[in-house]
C-alpha cells in the first residue's frame, strides 16, 4: 500500500467520477441519437422506414441487456479489488467500442457483417456502462466528508447531462449537412471524437486514490471468500428489487422523453431533426440546473422525503406533458419535455447518494450497479421500442403515452417509499419499540 492510499480526495475523486462518466454517457448518447436518426438507413436496408427505425432501436436495446453483465463483472472487481481499477477498465472499453462504431462500414458496403459488428460493439458498450455508474458514484461518495456527501456523490450524475449536451450538440452540427454526406460520413464524426475525450478522462481517473472506506474494510477483515453477487442475492434481495424500481424514472423515464420523443416527434409530428435536437440539447442544460437545487433541498429535508415528492410530481406531470407534445408546436413540445427533464434531473441527482445506503460496503458496488443496470436491461432499452409500438398502434392520441409515463414514475414513487435504508430501518425499530412499550403499558 503506497503513501497515498487511504487518503481522502473528495474534490479530485468527484472530478474523476464526473469526467469519466461524462465521456461514457457522451458515447452512449451518440449511439442513442444515431439509432433514432441514422442507423435505420445505414445498417438496416429496408423500404419501410418504420421497420428500419424499429430494428435500429432494437440494437439500442441490446446494449441495455448487456449492462447487468457489466454490473456483475465490474461489481465483483470493484468490491473485491478496488473501485479505481474497475473504473479505468470500463472507461477504456467504452471509448474503444464507440470509436470503432464510427469507423464501421455500412450495410451497403459489407452486408450483414456490418450489422453483426454493430451489435458486437454495442454489447461492449453495454458491458462498460454496466460497470461504470456504480463505481463512479461510490468513488465520489466514499471519498466525501459527511457534510458534503449528498452534493459530491451526485458528481457522476453531472456527467450525464454534459454528455447529452456534447452528443446532441455535435449531432446538431452534422445534421445540417446534405443528407448524402450525413449518411455517409457526417454521423461518424461524433463517434470518432470519443477517442480523444477518453485519453483526457483516463489521465484524470488514474490519479485518484482508492476508496478509503473499502480499503479500511479490506484491512480490518479477512478477505471475503463469497462473491459479492451471492451476498446481494442471499442477504439483500428485497433491497435489490426495490433498488431496480428506484432507478425507473432516471432510466426508463429519461429515455421516454429523449430517445423515444426524438423518434416520435420526427416520425409522427413531422418536427425536423434539428428542432428536436435543439430541445434535447436544452434538456441537458435543464438537468444541470436541477442537480444543485435538488441536492440542496435534499440536504435540508432528507433524501428519502425529497425522492418521494419529486416522483409524485413526475407522475402528475404525465398528462399535461403529452397534451403539450401532441399540439405539434415546438415551443409546447419544449415545455412538456423540459419540465419532465427538470423533475427527472432533480430525482437523478439524489438517487446517487441515496441508493448506496441500501447495501453494506462489501457488496455495495455490485448491489447498486445491479439495481441500476437490471432496471436498464428490463425497462430502459425497451422503453423506446414499447413507446414506438404504442404510437404505431394508437396513433396521435395523448392518453396511452401519458399512461405509460405515469406508470414509470408511479412505480418509482412506491419504491422510494419502501426502499430499506439504515434511516428507514431505525425508524421501523423505533416504531416497534413504541408499540411494545404501549402494549406493556396496557
Amino acid at each position: 500500500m503506497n503513501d497515498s492510499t487511504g487518503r481522502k480526495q473528495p474534490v479530485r475523486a468527484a472530478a474523476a467520477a464526473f469526467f469519466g462518466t461524462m465521456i461514457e454517457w457522451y458515447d452512449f448518447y451518440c449511439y442513442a441519437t444515431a439509432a433514432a436518426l441514422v442507423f435505420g438507413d445505414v445498417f438496416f436496408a429496408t423500404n419501410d422506414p418504420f421497420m428500419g427505425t424499429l430494428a435500429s432501436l432494437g440494437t439500442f436495446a441490446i446494449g441495455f441487456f448487456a449492462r447487468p453483465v457489466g454490473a456483475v463483472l465490474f461489481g465483483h472487481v470493484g468490491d473485491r479489488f478496488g473501485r479505481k481499477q474497475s473504473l479505468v477498465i470500463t472507461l477504456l472499453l467504452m471509448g474503444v467500442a464507440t470509436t470503432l462504431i464510427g469507423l464501421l462500414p455500412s450495410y451497403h458496403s459489407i452486408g450483414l457483417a456490418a450489422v453483426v459488428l454493430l451489435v458486437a460493439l454495442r454489447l461492449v458498450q453495454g458491458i462498460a456502462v454496466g460497470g461504470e455508474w456504480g463505481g463512479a458514484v461510490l468513488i465520489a461518495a466514499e471519498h466525501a466528508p459527511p457534510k458534503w456527501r449528498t452534493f459530491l456523490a451526485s458528481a457522476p450524475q453531472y456527467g450525464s447531462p454534459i454528455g447529452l449536451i456534447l452528443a446532441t450538440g455535435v449531432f446538431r452540427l452534422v445534421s445540417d449537412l446534405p443528407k448524402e454526406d450525413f449518411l455517409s460520413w457526417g454521423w461518424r464524426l461524433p463517434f470518432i471524437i470519443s477517442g480523444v475525450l477518453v485519453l483526457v478522462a483516463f489521465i484524470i481517473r488514474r490519479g485518484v486514490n482508492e476508496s478509503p472506506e473499502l480499503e479500511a474494510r479490506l484491512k480490518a477483515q479477512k478477505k471475503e471468500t463469497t462473491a459479492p453477487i451471492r451476498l446481494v442475492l442471499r442477504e439483500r434481495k428485497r433491497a435489490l428489487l426495490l433498488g431496480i424500481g428506484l432507478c425507473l424514472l432516471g432510466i426508463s423515464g429519461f429515455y421516454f422523453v429523449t430517445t423515444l420523443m426524438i423518434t416520435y416527434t420526427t416520425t409522427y409530428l413531422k418536427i425536423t431533426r434539428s428542432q428536436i435536437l435543439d430541445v434535447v440539447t436544452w434538456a441537458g442544460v435543464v438537468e444541470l440546473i436541477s442537480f444543485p437545487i435538488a441536492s440542496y433541498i435534499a440536504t435540508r429535508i432528507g433524501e428519502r422525503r425529497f425522492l418521494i415528492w419529486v416522483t409524485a410530481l413526475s407522475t402528475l406531470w404525465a398528462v399535461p406533458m403529452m397534451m403539450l407534445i401532441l399540439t405539434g408546436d415546438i415551443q409546447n413540445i419544449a415545455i412538456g419535455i423540459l419540465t419532465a427533464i427538470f423533475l427527472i434531473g432533480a430525482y437523478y441527482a439524489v438517487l446517487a447518494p441515496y441508493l448506496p445506503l441500501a447495501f453494506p460496503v462489501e457488496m455495495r458496488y455490485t448491489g447498486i450497479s445491479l439495481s441500476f443496470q437490471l432496471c436498464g436491461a428490463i425497462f430502459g432499452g425497451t422503453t423506446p421500442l414499447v413507446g414506438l409500438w404504442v404510437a404505431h398502434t394508437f396513433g396521435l392520441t395523448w392518453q396511452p403515452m401519458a399512461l405509460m409515463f405515469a406508470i414509470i414514475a408511479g412505480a418509482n414513487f412506491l419504491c422510494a417509499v419502501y426502499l430499506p435504508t439504515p434511516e428507514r430501518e431505525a425508524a421501523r425499530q423505533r416504531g416497534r419499540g413504541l408499540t411494545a412499550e404501549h402494549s406493556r403499558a396496557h
Side-chain angles (χ1 to χ4, degrees), residues 4-339:
S4 65
T5 314
R7 181 166 53 85
K8 286 194 174 186
Q9 299 173 303
V11 176
R12 188 165 186 170
F18 160 70
F19 279 109
T21 307
M22 177 192 74
I23 305 301
E24 296 219 15
W25 285 113
Y26 166 83
D27 294 348
F28 209 71
Y29 291 134
C30 278
Y31 194 101
T33 306
L37 294 181
V38 69
F39 282 174
D41 294 314
V42 174
F43 293 105
F44 302 95
T46 173
N47 294 324
D48 185 346
F50 171 75
M51 292 307 297
T53 304
L54 195 65
S56 176
L57 289 176
T59 65
F60 177 67
I62 284 170
F64 282 93
F65 298 136
R67 283 161 67 164
V69 177
V72 173
L73 176 63
F74 292 107
H76 183 89
V77 174
D79 281 327
R80 294 286 294 274
F81 305 107
R83 320 304 198 198
K84 175 181 171 179
Q85 185 176 349
S86 179
L87 287 172
V88 168
I89 299 171
T90 61
L91 178 66
L92 293 177
L93 273 178
M94 189 70 170
V96 170
T98 304
T99 305
L100 289 177
I101 287 173
L103 300 174
L104 276 182
S106 69
Y107 180 90
H108 302 286
S109 300
I110 60 172
L112 190 60
V115 179
V116 174
L117 290 171
L118 179 67
V119 170
L121 291 172
R122 178 61 179 157
L123 288 172
V124 174
Q125 272 195 329
I127 290 170
V129 170
E132 164 68 19
W133 183 81
V137 166
L138 293 183
I139 203 76
E142 292 173 354
H143 272 273
K147 181 180 178 181
W148 293 100
R149 185 179 174 278
T150 301
F151 279 94
L152 292 179
S154 67
Q157 312 302 69
Y158 287 80
S160 176
I162 294 290
L164 174 63
I165 291 168
L166 288 176
T168 52
V170 175
F171 263 99
R172 174 68 179 82
L173 291 175
V174 298
S175 69
D176 285 335
L177 291 168
K179 186 176 181 182
E180 294 76 15
D181 291 339
F182 178 67
L183 292 178
S184 64
W185 59 267
W187 69 267
R188 299 176 184 276
L189 293 179
F191 289 87
I192 295 170
I193 288 170
S194 171
V196 179
L197 297 176
V198 164
L199 290 177
V200 178
F202 176 77
I203 293 168
I204 296 171
R205 188 164 275 185
R206 286 279 294 176
V208 179
N209 293 337
E210 185 51 77
S211 158
E213 189 175 349
L214 178 68
E215 288 203 328
R217 183 191 69 82
L218 293 175
K219 188 176 179 180
Q221 301 177 6
K222 292 181 180 179
K223 191 170 182 179
E224 180 62 64
T225 56
T226 306
I229 180 64
R230 289 190 178 183
L231 290 175
V232 170
L233 295 177
R234 186 177 67 198
E235 301 176 14
R236 287 291 190 278
K237 286 194 292 288
R238 183 167 176 267
L240 177 62
L241 290 172
L242 290 171
I244 292 170
L246 190 72
C247 298
L248 269 172
L249 192 59
I251 297 175
S252 183
F254 183 81
Y255 286 112
F256 181 100
V257 297
T258 54
T259 304
L260 174 58
M261 286 301 111
I262 289 175
T263 304
Y264 184 78
T265 55
T266 55
T267 303
Y268 294 98
L269 301 178
K270 305 306 176 187
I271 300 297
T272 65
R273 284 197 306 260
S274 59
Q275 282 180 311
I276 192 62
L277 284 175
D278 283 342
V279 173
V280 176
T281 302
W282 274 105
V285 176
V286 169
E287 271 199 298
L288 285 176
I289 294 170
S290 71
F291 283 177
I293 295 172
S295 297
Y296 175 76
I297 296 173
T299 340
R300 299 297 300 270
I301 70 171
E303 294 164 359
R304 178 172 173 267
R305 182 179 297 176
F306 179 83
L307 288 173
I308 289 171
W309 275 104
V310 79
T311 50
L313 289 172
S314 300
T315 307
L316 295 175
W317 182 245
V319 170
M321 175 180 70
M322 286 313 305
M323 291 179 74
L324 285 166
I325 290 171
L326 260 294
T327 64
D329 179 81
I330 192 62
Q331 291 184 341
N332 288 339
I333 291 171
I335 293 170
I337 289 177
L338 295 180
T339 302

Side-chain angles (χ1 to χ4, degrees), residues 421-431:
T421 63
E423 177 190 21
R424 191 165 183 272
E425 292 301 316
R428 181 183 296 177
Q429 291 299 326
R430 287 195 300 271

